[in-house]
């Protein structure tokens, strides 16, 4: 983590610090005054309802080594001690992160996409970690606050930093990319997430393509070559290397499934390299291919990549498998959802043996297209051999209405407790139950109740 003097910070970013405190040292950063470690730099923000500056003095009393403060804060006259006076604390956080990243100088890999960002990040880490000192974005620290905090957690001897970049609107990923200046920038795919804010899949593609804006000259841009919406943005890029991945034959890395079973997938790349992945879901083949492409860029051998990726461990609630005492397999894919990722989950469940039960919640933030997109998920169940469909929420009712014709049993709920009770009553040993919905639906509560 960052460990520097206030004098160093003064050299790095526009700020004002009393000379009496320039030799003070900060270790790490906190934005929560309730979680201050010794010598942390405390960074308050002015929110709509609460001004974090009211907690600066307490943070210093609790052991913080210094604190950012905005010069225009109405609470400024009440604040004293080792203060780093700045015009805007968020901007100063980002400036500090950019300066510290340049100081550590790791190889930077930036990842975005509508689906699969975190899974791809985990796979890249798995491919690289045995050979390099790697640090990745933890959890969903992937926005204008989270990513700088991730950077400030880098150890000074970090060799590779894997940064996940999320967004809800235009220019957000552009700012993150300009901050990180990646050596490799990646777009996993273009789905429907944030349709409410960006208006169309074309808008989503445009926003995601901003990840290339900060890419270093002669850097590598890896993208989903099966997605035609990315082509206009790829065609504009100059002075960088391009690598497309996908199932279509015109891609640089063409990936195809060799085998699927209840333990994972086997696939090949360009028909001459074969990989085994202990993770459910054909859709994870493309995520793994991206990670393999990164390994190739960093000159790892086929044998090394093959061995490393088999040890991948995904962040929780991504195709996470739980076996109950009765032998039922519960698959927790409830971290988040989009219509595209729901269809991929249906494909995964459909490929498995035994009785198959699908539990789907609302997909949020789809805007005026929500009903149509939920109906399409239900229609996708045709010929998928799903035995039972349970839906929960308001919008998921549209999945129930169109999908119930394609399953043996279907039931819709607006009460989670009733959903859980029905599942418990109707589950049999050896059943496969896959649970998926948007983060706001908190369907992990259903998983917990079943296991």
């Amino acid at each position: 983590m960052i460990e520097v003097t206030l004098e160093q910070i003064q050299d790095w970013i526009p700020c004002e610090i009393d000379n009496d405190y320039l030799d003070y040292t900060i270790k790490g950063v906190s934005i929560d005054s309730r979680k201050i470690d010794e010598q942390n730099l405390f960074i308050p923000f002015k929110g709509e309802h609460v001004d974090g500056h009211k907690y600066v003095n307490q943070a210093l009393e609790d052991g913080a080594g210094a604190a950012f403060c905005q010069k225009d804060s109405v609470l400024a006259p009440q604040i004293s001690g080792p203060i780093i006076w700045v015009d805007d604390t968020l901007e100063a956080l980002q400036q500090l992160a950019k300066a510290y990243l340049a100081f550590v100088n790791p190889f930077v890999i930036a990842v975005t996409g509508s689906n699969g960002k975190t899974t791809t990040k985990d796979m890249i880490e798995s491919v690289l970690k045995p050979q390099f000192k790697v640090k990745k974005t933890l959890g969903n620290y992937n926005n204008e606050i989270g990513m700088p905090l991730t950077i400030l957690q880098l150890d000074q001897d970090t060799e590779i930093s894997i940064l996940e970049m999320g967004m809800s609107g235009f220019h957000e990923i552009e700012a993150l990319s300009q901050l990180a200046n990646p050596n490799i920038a990646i777009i996993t795919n273009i789905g429907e997430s944030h349709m409410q804010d960006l208006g169309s899949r074309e808008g989503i593609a445009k926003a995601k393509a901003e990840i290339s804006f900060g890419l270093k000259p002669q850097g590598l841009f890896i993208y989903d070559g099966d997605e035609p919406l990315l082509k206009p943005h790829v065609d504009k890029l100059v002075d960088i290397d391009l690598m497309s991945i996908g199932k279509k034959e015109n891609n640089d890395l063409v990936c195809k499934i060799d085998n699927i079973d209840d333990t994972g997938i086997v696939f090949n790349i360009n028909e001459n390299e074969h990989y085994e992945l202990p993770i459910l879901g054909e859709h994870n083949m493309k995520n793994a291919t991206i990670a393999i492409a990164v390994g190739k860029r960093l000159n790892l051998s086929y044998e090394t990549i093959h061995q490393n990726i088999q040890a991948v461990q995904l962040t929780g609630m991504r195709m996470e498998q739980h076996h109950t005492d009765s032998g039922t397999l519960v698959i927790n894919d409830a971290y988040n959802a989009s219509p595209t990722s729901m269809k991929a989950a249906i494909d995964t469940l459909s490929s498995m043996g035994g009785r198959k039960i699908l539990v789907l919640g609302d997909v949020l933030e789809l805007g005026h297209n929500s009903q149509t997109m939920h109906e399409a998920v239900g229609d996708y169940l045709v010929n998928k051999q799903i035995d039972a469909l349970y839906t929960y929420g308001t919008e998921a009712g549209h999945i129930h209405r169109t999908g119930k014709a394609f399953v043996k049993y279907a039931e819709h709920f607006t009460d989670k407790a009733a959903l859980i009770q029905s599942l418990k009553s109707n589950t049999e040993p050896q059943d496969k139950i896959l649970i998926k919905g948007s983060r706001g639906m908190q369907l992990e509560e259903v998983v917990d109740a079943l296991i």
Side-chain angles (χ1 to χ4, degrees):
M1 70 177 70
I2 186 171
E3 182 175 349
V4 294
T5 65
L6 300 199
E7 184 174 20
Q8 182 71 70
I9 291 177
Q10 188 178 57
D11 290 340
W12 280 351
I13 69 172
C15 64
E16 296 175 12
I17 306 172
D18 190 303
N19 288 336
D20 292 340
Y21 301 114
L22 290 179
D23 61 347
Y24 277 42
T25 298
I26 61 101
K27 296 180 181 179
V29 174
S30 176
I31 61 172
D32 188 340
S33 63
R34 298 164 298 180
K35 299 177 181 178
I36 296 292
D37 290 330
E38 192 71 20
Q39 291 186 268
N40 272 178
L41 171 63
F42 174 59
I43 303 181
F45 299 110
K46 292 175 66 176
E48 292 183 14
H49 305 295
V50 178
D51 186 346
H53 287 79
K54 68 188 293 186
Y55 303 112
V56 169
N57 288 332
Q58 185 62 53
L60 294 172
E61 289 179 19
D62 291 341
F68 276 169
C69 286
Q70 287 189 189
K71 299 172 186 177
D72 65 354
S73 171
V74 295
L75 298 173
Q78 304 169 27
I79 297 171
S80 61
I83 302 301
I84 303 167
W85 296 99
V86 298
D87 292 331
D88 181 275
T89 54
L90 175 57
E91 184 177 347
L93 166 64
Q94 295 166 347
Q95 291 169 339
L96 180 61
K98 187 174 181 68
Y100 184 63
L101 189 63
F103 174 72
V104 176
N105 195 30
F107 189 93
V108 177
I109 301 167
V111 183
T112 194
S114 296
N115 312 114
K117 292 186 294 294
T118 301
T119 297
T120 301
K121 174 188 68 179
D122 292 342
M123 290 179 174
I124 294 171
E125 179 194 39
S126 180
V127 167
L128 302 180
K129 197 169 185 179
Q131 277 68 43
F132 302 95
K133 180 161 184 180
V134 180
K135 272 216 166 182
K136 66 179 179 181
T137 301
L138 295 177
N140 60 347
Y141 270 44
N142 61 11
N143 62 9
E144 75 278 9
I145 294 175
M147 198 187 81
L149 291 175
T150 295
I151 291 170
L152 294 171
Q153 285 295 317
L154 295 177
D155 297 320
Q156 293 188 11
D157 61 348
T158 301
E159 295 176 287
I160 296 178
S161 174
I162 307 170
L163 299 174
E164 181 179 327
M165 297 182 179
M167 60 88 197
S168 57
F170 293 113
H171 306 300
E172 294 177 10
I173 288 181
E174 175 183 2
L176 297 177
S177 180
Q178 296 285 6
L179 191 164
N181 292 131
N183 301 86
I184 298 177
I186 296 163
I187 298 179
T188 61
N189 59 18
I190 302 300
E192 305 87 1
S193 301
H194 308 297
M195 187 80 79
Q196 181 173 298
D197 301 299
L198 297 170
S200 65
R201 291 186 71 248
E202 288 81 0
I204 294 167
K206 180 180 179 182
K208 296 294 184 184
E210 292 172 7
I211 197 169
S212 66
F213 288 12
L215 188 60
K216 287 184 174 71
Q218 282 71 57
L220 174 64
F221 184 54
I222 303 174
Y223 64 99
D224 181 359
D226 294 340
E227 176 50 75
L229 293 178
L230 287 174
K231 189 175 187 309
H233 305 286
V234 172
D235 289 345
K236 296 177 184 177
L237 299 178
V238 295
D239 297 327
I240 62 171
D241 297 331
L242 301 174
M243 182 175 289
S244 62
I245 64 97
K247 300 178 183 179
K248 296 179 181 178
E249 295 295 336
N250 61 333
N251 286 294
D252 296 309
L253 294 184
V254 181
C255 50
K256 294 181 180 178
I257 286 289
D258 291 329
N259 186 58
I260 299 177
D261 60 27
D262 292 1
T263 63
I265 61 175
V266 180
F267 64 98
N268 71 74
I269 294 179
N270 293 348
E271 297 186 348
N272 59 8
E273 293 183 358
H274 296 263
Y275 296 91
E276 300 168 13
L277 195 65
I279 296 173
L280 299 175
E282 181 178 347
H283 59 284
N284 279 315
M285 173 179 67
K286 291 173 79 169
N287 298 331
T289 302
I290 291 171
I292 291 164
V294 172
K296 288 174 179 287
R297 180 70 169 194
L298 289 168
N299 299 315
L300 297 183
S301 68
Y302 163 70
E303 291 76 16
T304 297
I305 295 171
H306 184 272
Q307 178 179 329
N308 291 352
I309 202 165
Q310 288 185 74
V312 64
Q313 293 185 331
L314 299 187
T315 302
M317 294 195 285
R318 276 90 171 174
M319 286 292 167
E320 189 175 70
Q321 299 181 55
H322 300 275
H323 293 271
T324 69
D325 292 340
S326 66
T328 300
L329 173 62
V330 180
I331 304 168
N332 181 357
D333 199 33
Y335 183 78
N336 217 334
S338 69
T340 296
S341 64
M342 275 192 172
K343 291 173 184 177
I346 291 169
D347 286 337
T348 298
L349 185 61
S350 180
S351 69
M352 304 180 79
R355 202 168 72 111
K356 297 175 278 284
I357 299 173
L358 184 64
V359 182
L360 299 179
D362 290 355
V363 178
L364 305 176
E365 299 182 19
L366 293 180
H368 67 275
N369 293 306
S370 182
Q371 178 176 335
T372 301
M373 290 186 173
H374 281 86
E375 289 173 345
V377 172
D379 287 333
Y380 193 73
L381 289 167
V382 63
N383 298 325
K384 294 296 180 180
Q385 285 79 51
I386 302 299
D387 295 283
L389 171 66
Y390 290 79
T391 49
Y392 167 72
T394 303
E395 296 300 296
H398 301 304
I399 300 175
H400 170 81
R401 183 167 52 79
T402 56
K404 63 185 179 181
F406 309 122
V407 297
K408 297 174 183 176
Y409 177 83
E411 197 169 358
H412 178 69
F413 298 86
T414 55
D415 180 87
K416 196 179 294 180
L419 164 64
I420 291 169
Q421 185 57 48
S422 181
L423 273 170
K424 284 184 173 182
S425 300
N426 294 302
T427 299
E428 301 173 3
Q430 309 306 315
D431 282 354
K432 310 294 193 304
I433 306 175
L434 192 150
I435 299 171
K436 189 167 186 66
S438 280
R439 181 85 300 273
M441 304 308 289
Q442 297 182 331
L443 287 181
E444 67 273 14
E445 294 174 0
V446 178
V447 175
D448 292 341
L450 292 175
I451 64 175

